[in-house]
Amino acid sequence: MTAPVFLLDGPDFPALTRHPGRVWLTGPEGRHAVSVRRMRVGEDVVLTDGAGTGAYGTVVAVEGKDRLEVAVTAVVTDPEPLPRITVVQALPKGDRGELAVETMTETGVDAIVPWTASRCVTRWRGERGTKSLAKWRATAREAGKQSRRLSLPRVAEPADTAQLVPLLSAAAFAAVLHEEGSAPLATAPLPADGDIVLVVGPEGGVSPDELAAFEAAGAAPHRLGRTVLRTSTAGTAATALLLARTGRWS
């Protein structure tokens, strides 16, 4: 069985990258390892900073309900993924936002930008918005650990249409997933590095004004296939397609 992954925050991790040794996993991650995962002495474990570096080791001690000591034997750093893939995800209804974040993270997306599109039914305002963003970030963190990622995706602050324009303009390739797009994403010319940015619209679709603003910023409409996917699954399907086409899944 593949060793489980836990996040190790604080000053201990940089020290481990220089001199592998022993380190304690405590707090919420330690509690999850001891009380939920039931980690025991002798089992393998991976500790990560969530930014691409992983410390591989073995549990050598367990204390109480939230502390375990790991003897680190090797430290590795994943190369920076190129090209980077960012998905701009319109806010779906209900818990479909967390579903989108979960599956995109497990697939391999590098960054997610919550988008308040004009046709979004859901609105993030005040305390509700703060809690919703926290849920997306927690979902990305847990899905990244579950899928054994050393580099967790960044979930940005929510953006409106105007705030997305600079992101799209700076991308090496940008596209809006749209069922009426004349160009298939499967044959679009892709860069070898830089940033790829995909825009996924809400259930009600991307408005004509939004499409015009995005096209002016260099993001033309592209279609995935003949079927129309839900907003909560389109980003995952597109990410998988791009990871295969760019060689990141090779």
Side-chain angles (χ1 to χ4, degrees):
M1 181 178 176
T2 306
V5 175
F6 299 97
L7 283 169
L8 180 64
D9 297 323
D12 290 333
F13 203 91
L16 280 179
T17 63
R18 296 188 296 269
H19 304 288
R22 294 193 176 193
V23 64
W24 284 94
L25 182 66
T26 61
E29 289 292 280
R31 184 176 302 107
H32 183 72
V34 175
S35 299
V36 179
R37 293 300 301 262
R38 306 283 185 181
M39 300 297 296
R40 296 293 180 260
V41 172
E43 293 186 311
D44 293 333
V45 67
V46 180
L47 307 177
T48 180
D49 60 354
T53 300
Y56 292 75
T58 304
V59 178
V60 293
V62 176
E63 290 185 0
K65 297 180 179 180
D66 60 356
R67 287 171 56 84
L68 82 169
E69 188 178 22
V70 177
V72 176
T73 56
V75 177
V76 302
T77 300
D78 282 347
E80 181 183 0
L82 293 174
R84 286 176 48 84
I85 300 173
T86 295
V87 173
V88 174
Q89 174 66 57
L91 305 180
K93 295 182 292 186
D95 60 358
R96 289 190 175 276
E98 286 99 273
L99 173 63
V101 171
E102 179 181 56
T103 54
M104 285 191 290
T105 297
E106 292 173 355
T107 304
V109 75
D110 301 299
I112 300 168
V113 181
W115 172 36
T116 307
S118 63
R119 293 177 177 174
C120 281
V121 175
T122 298
R123 297 286 165 175
W124 286 4
R125 296 188 180 97
E127 184 178 354
R128 177 184 179 183
T130 300
K131 289 182 177 179
S132 296
L133 179 59
K135 283 184 179 180
W136 279 35
R137 288 174 170 169
T139 298
R141 181 174 63 250
E142 295 306 313
K145 289 161 52 182
Q146 187 278 331
S147 55
R148 311 301 197 267
R149 289 183 58 165
L150 299 183
S151 181
L152 304 183
R154 174 177 175 268
V155 179
E157 293 289 326
D160 59 24
T161 300
Q163 291 169 323
L164 293 177
V165 169
L167 175 67
L168 298 173
S169 298
F173 173 82
V176 182
L177 299 183
H178 198 278
E179 66 271 17
E180 295 181 3
S182 58
L185 188 63
T187 58
L190 301 177
D193 54 21
D195 290 325
I196 293 176
V197 181
L198 297 176
V199 179
V200 178
E203 287 91 342
V206 182
S207 73
D209 288 346
E210 290 165 339
L211 274 177
F214 294 154
E215 285 201 79
H222 286 66
R223 69 178 187 276
L224 271 176
R226 295 182 178 180
T227 59
V228 178
L229 301 182
R230 287 182 177 271
T231 183
S232 54
T233 56
T236 300
T239 297
L241 172 64
L242 293 177
L243 288 169
R245 288 198 58 207
T246 58
R248 284 182 50 180
W249 268 3
S250 298

